[in-house]
Short mmCIF file of all heavy atoms in Angstrom, two decimals:
data_model
loop_
_atom_site.label_atom_id
_atom_site.label_comp_id
_atom_site.label_asym_id
_atom_site.label_seq_id
_atom_site.Cartn_x
_atom_site.Cartn_y
_atom_site.Cartn_z
N VAL A 26 7.53 5.08 18.50
CA VAL A 26 7.17 4.85 17.10
C VAL A 26 6.73 3.36 16.83
O VAL A 26 5.72 3.10 16.18
CB VAL A 26 8.31 5.33 16.14
CG1 VAL A 26 8.08 4.84 14.75
CG2 VAL A 26 8.53 6.79 16.21
N LYS A 32 0.24 -0.88 17.40
CA LYS A 32 -1.15 -0.70 17.77
C LYS A 32 -2.00 -0.58 16.56
O LYS A 32 -3.04 -1.25 16.38
CB LYS A 32 -1.30 0.49 18.60
CG LYS A 32 -2.72 0.89 19.01
CD LYS A 32 -3.22 -0.15 20.03
CE LYS A 32 -4.64 0.25 20.47
NZ LYS A 32 -5.23 -0.70 21.47
N LEU A 39 -3.33 -7.14 10.90
CA LEU A 39 -2.11 -7.85 10.55
C LEU A 39 -1.58 -8.65 11.76
O LEU A 39 -1.97 -8.39 12.93
CB LEU A 39 -0.97 -6.77 10.24
CG LEU A 39 -0.93 -6.27 8.79
CD1 LEU A 39 -2.12 -5.50 8.47
CD2 LEU A 39 0.36 -5.55 8.48
N LEU A 57 -0.11 -4.74 24.16
CA LEU A 57 -1.02 -4.46 23.02
C LEU A 57 -1.51 -5.72 22.30
O LEU A 57 -2.43 -5.60 21.48
CB LEU A 57 -0.18 -3.62 22.04
CG LEU A 57 0.15 -2.11 22.48
CD1 LEU A 57 1.11 -1.55 21.45
CD2 LEU A 57 -1.13 -1.34 22.65
N ASP A 91 6.56 -11.77 6.61
CA ASP A 91 6.36 -11.28 5.22
C ASP A 91 7.16 -9.98 4.92
O ASP A 91 7.39 -9.64 3.76
CB ASP A 91 4.86 -11.12 4.97
CG ASP A 91 4.09 -12.42 5.00
OD1 ASP A 91 4.12 -13.11 3.97
OD2 ASP A 91 3.49 -12.66 6.05
N ARG A 111 16.00 -10.82 1.34
CA ARG A 111 15.24 -12.06 0.95
C ARG A 111 13.69 -11.85 1.14
O ARG A 111 12.96 -12.59 0.54
CB ARG A 111 15.70 -13.25 1.69
CG ARG A 111 17.10 -13.72 1.23
CD ARG A 111 17.62 -14.80 2.08
NE ARG A 111 17.95 -14.35 3.39
CZ ARG A 111 18.30 -15.11 4.39
NH1 ARG A 111 18.30 -16.41 4.30
NH2 ARG A 111 18.68 -14.55 5.61
N VAL A 148 14.18 3.01 2.50
CA VAL A 148 14.75 3.64 3.71
C VAL A 148 13.67 4.73 4.01
O VAL A 148 13.41 5.66 3.25
CB VAL A 148 16.14 4.29 3.40
CG1 VAL A 148 16.56 5.07 4.59
CG2 VAL A 148 17.12 3.16 3.09
N GLU A 155 16.06 14.80 6.81
CA GLU A 155 16.84 13.55 7.11
C GLU A 155 17.14 12.77 5.81
O GLU A 155 18.26 12.30 5.63
CB GLU A 155 16.02 12.57 8.06
CG GLU A 155 16.75 11.37 8.49
CD GLU A 155 15.93 10.47 9.34
OE1 GLU A 155 14.72 10.21 9.07
OE2 GLU A 155 16.44 10.00 10.39
N THR A 158 20.01 14.65 4.10
CA THR A 158 21.27 14.31 4.77
C THR A 158 21.78 12.97 4.23
O THR A 158 23.01 12.87 3.96
CB THR A 158 21.16 14.22 6.29
OG1 THR A 158 20.78 15.46 6.78
CG2 THR A 158 22.39 13.69 6.96
N LEU A 207 21.94 23.58 27.21
CA LEU A 207 20.86 24.30 27.91
C LEU A 207 21.35 24.74 29.29
O LEU A 207 21.09 25.91 29.69
CB LEU A 207 19.62 23.47 28.01
CG LEU A 207 18.40 24.08 28.63
CD1 LEU A 207 18.00 25.45 28.11
CD2 LEU A 207 17.25 23.09 28.65
N LEU A 208 22.06 23.83 29.90
CA LEU A 208 22.62 24.20 31.30
C LEU A 208 23.63 25.32 31.22
O LEU A 208 23.76 26.19 32.14
CB LEU A 208 23.11 23.00 31.99
CG LEU A 208 22.09 21.87 32.43
CD1 LEU A 208 22.80 20.64 33.01
CD2 LEU A 208 21.13 22.48 33.41
N ALA A 224 13.32 22.33 34.32
CA ALA A 224 13.06 20.89 34.63
C ALA A 224 13.54 20.09 33.54
O ALA A 224 13.18 20.27 32.36
CB ALA A 224 11.59 20.70 34.93
N ARG A 253 2.62 14.37 30.28
CA ARG A 253 1.69 15.41 29.89
C ARG A 253 1.67 16.52 30.99
O ARG A 253 1.65 17.68 30.63
CB ARG A 253 0.22 14.85 29.67
CG ARG A 253 0.18 14.14 28.39
CD ARG A 253 -1.16 13.45 28.19
NE ARG A 253 -1.40 12.49 29.29
CZ ARG A 253 -2.51 11.80 29.51
NH1 ARG A 253 -3.53 12.06 28.68
NH2 ARG A 253 -2.68 10.92 30.47
N ALA A 350 0.64 6.27 10.52
CA ALA A 350 0.33 4.84 10.32
C ALA A 350 -0.20 4.51 8.95
O ALA A 350 0.16 3.45 8.39
CB ALA A 350 -0.64 4.37 11.43
N ARG A 372 -8.21 4.40 16.69
CA ARG A 372 -8.73 5.43 17.53
C ARG A 372 -8.40 5.27 18.95
O ARG A 372 -8.56 6.13 19.81
CB ARG A 372 -10.27 5.51 17.38
CG ARG A 372 -10.69 6.07 16.04
CD ARG A 372 -10.25 7.55 15.91
NE ARG A 372 -10.51 7.99 14.53
CZ ARG A 372 -10.08 9.13 14.12
NH1 ARG A 372 -9.30 9.90 14.83
NH2 ARG A 372 -10.37 9.53 12.85
#
Side-chain angles (χ1 to χ4, degrees):
V26 169
K32 178 69 174 182
L39 276 70
L57 291 173
D91 294 278
R111 288 174 290 173
V148 172
E155 185 180 46
T158 295
L207 181 54
L208 290 177
R253 289 174 298 176
R372 289 296 174 188

